[in-house]
Amino acid sequence: MQQWRALGLAMICAGMAAGCGRIGVPGADQTAGPGGREQPLALNPKQELALGHQSYEEVMSEYGDRVLSADSPETTRVRRIVDRLKEAADIEPLQREIELRVRGYRFDWEANVIRDKQVNAFCLPAGKIFVFTGILSFLRNDDDAVAAVLAHEMAHAQAHHSSERLARERAGGNVFQKLSYSRMQESEADHIGVFIMAFAGYDPDRAVAFWKRMTQAHNGPPEFLSDHPSDEHRVQNLTAWAPKARAAKKAFDEGRITPPRR
């Protein structure tokens, strides 16, 4: 889904300029990211956490009384699903297989629901999640589909995509390169998210069904003009990944994926 607009790169640079590195400059963090790919990051763990907390306060202030109470049915439902997902996201063998960079990072997972017709959700750096009632209405009573959306958003945070986008923005590049990086991150969040939801006990096939519904519900721009993969492309990828996620969960449950010996 769309990343929160308050995380505009100019705002991030203004708030974190003292500690932001540049790609190709000695001292910049360019160690391996998800799947072992090179992933330059602009923010260290402390800065990423601070940015998440700052952005959280801004979102809460902007939406004010449209943020539903903690005991509302919508918030209770979303938080119940997030509780299951965050337990799965903390499974060390899963983190290791995906090659997530989580050591030294802190994730303050918390979900809130905003009364708004947008069919959208987003997750700030370090784990603050916001869900619009519009997407809950769209998904009706399908908790597995809600889990697919939330796991995707949580994957953005676990993969440090905001920090990476800042690093790449500061390095320059043309618009097509930037669109390519954005599409790559969205696909990566789909990939990671479908495994998180499967390990949380949700049906990964519901992620496929969700994007099929999205394909039918709207006609977006062609993929080469969008910073997101086309819905058809996402469906194809998720159709291939869902059985692999289910098989990985089965292997974990049977003890065939174990933590490394210390």
Side-chain angles (χ1 to χ4, degrees), residues 5-22:
R5 65 182 180 275
L7 296 182
L9 295 171
M11 183 279 288
I12 297 176
C13 286
M16 297 293 181
C20 288
R22 293 184 64 87

Side-chain angles (χ1 to χ4, degrees), residues 75-93:
T75 304
T76 300
R77 177 193 182 195
V78 168
R79 289 185 175 181
R80 182 182 68 249
I81 296 170
V82 168
D83 283 345
R84 286 176 58 176
L85 293 171
K86 70 182 183 183
E87 288 185 11
D90 286 340
I91 294 174
E92 190 278 336

Side-chain angles (χ1 to χ4, degrees), residues 15 18 52 56 63 91 95 106 115-116 121 135-136 152 157 171 197 212 243 259:
Y56 171 80
Y63 285 99
I91 294 174
Q95 295 174 345
R106 173 179 156 191
R115 187 184 299 108
D116 192 286
I135 197 165
L136 296 178
H152 170 95
M197 68 177 295
K212 285 183 177 178

Side-chain angles (χ1 to χ4, degrees), residues 96-114:
R96 172 164 39 88
E97 290 299 315
I98 298 173
E99 299 183 72
L100 290 173
R101 301 162 64 177
V102 295
R103 179 171 295 182
Y105 285 89
R106 173 179 156 191
F107 296 93
D108 289 341
W109 301 118
E110 178 189 321
N112 286 283
V113 178
I114 298 170

